[in-house]
Amino acid sequence: MLRATTIAGLTFAATTAGAETLTIYAYDSFVPDYGPGPAVAEVFEEQCGCEVEYVAAGDGAALLSRVRLEGARSGADIVLGLDSNLVAQARETGLFAPHGVDAEFDLPVTWDDDTFLPFDWGYFAFVGNEGTEAPSSLQELADSDLQIAIQDPRSSTPGLGLVLWVEQAYGEEAGALWSDLADNVLTVTPGWSEAYGLFLDGEVDAVLSYTTSPAYHSIAEEDDSKVAWAFDEGHYVQIEVAAVLESSDQPELAREFMAFIASDGFQSVIPTTNWMYPVIEPEGGLPDGFEALAQPESALLYPPEEAQAVREAAIDTWRGALAQ
């Protein structure tokens, strides 16, 4: 087997002559060697005798935009990397088919959806360096002189998660919070990778990421200097999902992959590659180090339909405050 990587085309494929190919559109950080994509593909290819081809399509919201634009002509069999805040919008497209998977999930909320299958989850958090005086709330962050990098909610699921976090925590006062926070925002990036890179380069004091992000530095780099700040308002939850395209020309293979998502072969890869919580605890448990991660006292999350109902107004509030 020859694994080929074509950076310019943002296509990452394993090729075996004569084998069927399953094409998966995923967000950028899922696909490279440091993400879960290659390890997941290796295990699944051995199981199915097929080829897995990833197409990196930006961040989650950009991923949905691409699929909507392509419609029934999309070359994807599976879309992997939407989240619960985009599920209602994705469902309205009519482009997705039932996944056919029956599983019990270890999630902080009940999940019962026959089309969008969860594959990991986490709490959004601002991540800073040890030694930086950590704010204890979004308001305290807004009242500080700390400089932060966040993501654009129109293209990024973490960026969308932040505006919904503020909306749910502050309600009618969300605009005032954003006005206070605006001078802390040094930059807004299209996706998570760019913002996190700025933080690692020392360009900002903190970045919007996840409570699980410090696990990467601690476990993979033996670096305990990165910390997730716990906020009094509670932390917004992200549940990432995958779905089969109705137009897939590999429907049986696609559903085999969806069942694979709920297996230990997929779930055991997630904690130390995507650095998120698996939706089904692996047979060997979570890796050492996860027990030390920040545990929010309360979890915030809009159900998919409510997230859709408040999304545009929340983004308008964010955009209006940052434009001043």
Side-chain angles (χ1 to χ4, degrees), residues 41-64:
E42 182 177 357
V43 177
F44 184 66
E45 286 170 348
E46 184 175 350
Q47 170 183 313
C48 67
C50 66
E51 302 167 3
V52 173
E53 178 184 83
Y54 291 114
V55 177
D59 216 328
L63 180 60
L64 178 57

Side-chain angles (χ1 to χ4, degrees), residues 149-172:
I150 63 174
Q151 300 85 22
D152 191 327
R154 295 164 296 185
S155 58
S156 164
T157 53
L160 178 58
L162 177 60
V163 299
L164 295 178
W165 184 2
V166 172
E167 185 70 19
Q168 193 167 43
Y170 284 84
E172 294 181 355

Side-chain angles (χ1 to χ4, degrees), residues 130-153:
E130 189 179 45
T132 300
E133 187 172 354
S136 63
S137 67
L138 288 164
Q139 185 63 63
E140 197 168 303
L141 173 61
D143 293 339
S144 76
D145 294 325
L146 295 167
Q147 296 290 284
I148 60 175
I150 63 174
Q151 300 85 22
D152 191 327

Side-chain angles (χ1 to χ4, degrees), residues 44-247:
F44 184 66
E45 286 170 348
E46 184 175 350
Q47 170 183 313
C48 67
C50 66
E51 302 167 3
V52 173
E53 178 184 83
Y54 291 114
V55 177
D59 216 328
L63 180 60
L64 178 57
S65 296
R66 174 166 176 170
V67 173
R68 293 178 68 181
L69 182 64
E70 294 178 348
R73 296 171 298 174
S74 177
D77 299 301
I78 286 174
V79 171
L80 189 152
L82 307 180
D83 75 0
S84 56
N85 298 319
L86 295 173
V87 159
Q89 186 180 356
R91 196 189 315 278
E92 283 185 348
T93 67
L95 294 172
F96 298 98
H99 53 65
V101 177
D102 183 14
E104 294 185 6
F105 302 108
D106 301 318
L107 289 168
V109 297
T110 300
W111 189 270
D112 183 16
D113 191 304
D114 68 359
T115 302
F116 297 93
L117 185 71
F119 66 88
D120 69 12
W121 71 280
Y123 296 102
F124 290 119
F126 282 92
V127 173
N129 288 299
E130 189 179 45
T132 300
E133 187 172 354
S136 63
S137 67
L138 288 164
Q139 185 63 63
E140 197 168 303
L141 173 61
D143 293 339
S144 76
D145 294 325
L146 295 167
Q147 296 290 284
I148 60 175
I150 63 174
Q151 300 85 22
D152 191 327
R154 295 164 296 185
S155 58
S156 164
T157 53
L160 178 58
L162 177 60
V163 299
L164 295 178
W165 184 2
V166 172
E167 185 70 19
Q168 193 167 43
Y170 284 84
E172 294 181 355
E173 301 300 318
L177 187 281
W178 275 119
S179 294
D180 291 344
L181 195 59
D183 62 356
N184 300 94
V185 179
L186 184 65
T187 189
V188 179
T189 62
W192 175 88
S193 300
E194 302 95 322
Y196 208 83
L198 290 171
F199 168 62
L200 294 180
D201 289 342
E203 299 292 329
V204 292
D205 298 306
V207 61
L208 176 65
S209 192
Y210 301 88
T211 60
T212 46
S213 298
Y216 164 74
H217 302 284
S218 177
I219 296 173
E221 300 180 331
E222 298 183 348
D223 173 6
D224 294 327
S225 67
K226 305 297 185 290
V227 294
W229 297 339
F231 283 175
D232 295 340
E233 298 97 335
H235 288 242
Y236 201 82
V237 174
Q238 182 181 45
I239 300 172
E240 297 193 298
V241 302
V244 177
L245 271 293
E246 187 79 55
S247 58

Side-chain angles (χ1 to χ4, degrees), residues 289-303:
F290 268 62
E291 75 284 353
L293 297 175
Q295 295 296 321
E297 293 187 2
S298 59
L300 307 178
L301 180 68
Y302 283 112

